[in-house]
Amino acid sequence: MLTNTLRHCTRRLAPALLLALLSGAKDLLAQRPLDLGPVTHDGEPRFQGGGALTIAQPAGQFKQYVNNGVGVGGHALYRIGALGAFALRVDGSFVQYGRETKRVMLSPTVGGRVKVDLTTSNNIYWLGVGPQLMAPRGPVRPYINGTVGLAYFATESSLKGVDDVESEFHNTNLDDLRFSFGGGTGVLIPIAHGRRTLVFLDLGARFINNGRTQYLREGGIEDLPNGDVRLHPIASNANLWTYHVGVSIGGR
């Protein structure tokens, strides 16, 4: 019940989140002069970047067709203003929500003497940009952000020899590029401080609205006796909750 309530509220508030963030940033910058020096008023680096491990939880209709996914993400942000409480942030992530591998013969002509692994993966590539408001200092620093960007759904198949490390052949079975928007929240916890760097533990969650998307799930490709394939795509909303744990490093 709580999860459903959160999803409902986020879907309603996400379009307004960017406007709220921009409004708050405008008020903040009106109180403090725009300062693009190498450090904030407190001497902290303006630039931060890092990476994280991500768990993706399908929401709404998407949850009816696919299971949770795992992936990785990265971000970069630049803190603006004397305090550095407002920042411009870029996020990117890769999530895999399905994967299947089967061993097949290379071709009927070669027969079973050479076998290969045929792997099909269901992937989401996401890139977004937007504003972030954060507590500029302290042992625990909450933040909220909003993003607009693109989500690329792709089901890809690759072929490699049993003893090979890299794939020899690669094919995209179905893909769809969608406009995306969302909002997130989290906390930054300083865990190390150097002369020129500051390292944070980054914990957070984000809701991503991808709209109505066409995609494949595990088992969505049917191999036909004549060697062709038949695709069984699904068209539905493909929204996600993502949860991440990672590090963010500020440098100057």
Side-chain angles (χ1 to χ4, degrees), residues 168-234:
E168 298 292 338
F169 302 97
H170 179 274
N171 183 64
T172 300
N173 308 111
L174 181 74
D175 61 355
D176 196 4
L177 181 66
R178 309 299 299 177
F179 171 76
S180 174
F181 66 89
T185 184
V187 293
L188 294 171
I189 303 173
I191 56 176
H193 195 295
R195 194 163 65 96
R196 301 181 65 86
T197 60
L198 182 60
V199 182
F200 299 91
L201 176 65
D202 184 9
L203 306 172
R206 181 189 303 275
F207 181 79
I208 304 174
N209 189 319
N210 298 310
R212 189 168 181 83
T213 307
Q214 185 171 249
Y215 57 90
L216 292 170
R217 60 177 176 177
E218 285 188 26
I221 301 178
E222 179 184 358
D223 295 301
L224 301 178
N226 63 358
D228 290 337
V229 296
R230 179 180 292 128
L231 303 182
H232 298 278
I234 298 170

Side-chain angles (χ1 to χ4, degrees), residues 68-189:
N68 292 350
V70 296
V72 294
H75 72 275
L77 63 88
Y78 192 82
R79 300 169 65 178
I80 299 173
L83 291 178
F86 173 65
L88 296 177
R89 176 171 176 141
V90 178
D91 280 281
S93 66
F94 163 80
V95 168
Q96 189 169 98
Y97 63 89
R99 180 184 176 93
E100 50 188 328
T101 298
K102 59 181 180 180
R103 187 155 294 176
V104 299
M105 62 181 180
L106 181 60
S107 72
T109 303
V110 175
R113 296 191 181 190
V114 178
K115 292 189 175 180
V116 293
D117 287 335
L118 174 62
T119 299
T120 300
S121 58
N122 307 107
N123 307 315
I124 305 172
Y125 305 87
W126 177 78
L127 181 67
V129 60
Q132 174 168 294
L133 286 176
M134 59 186 288
R137 56 180 177 268
V140 178
R141 309 182 186 189
Y143 64 82
I144 59 172
N145 54 47
T147 57
V148 293
L150 297 172
Y152 177 62
F153 288 70
T155 294
E156 301 164 306
S157 294
S158 60
L159 199 65
K160 70 177 182 179
V162 175
D163 298 323
D164 293 336
V165 176
E166 298 183 357
S167 301
E168 298 292 338
F169 302 97
H170 179 274
N171 183 64
T172 300
N173 308 111
L174 181 74
D175 61 355
D176 196 4
L177 181 66
R178 309 299 299 177
F179 171 76
S180 174
F181 66 89
T185 184
V187 293
L188 294 171
I189 303 173

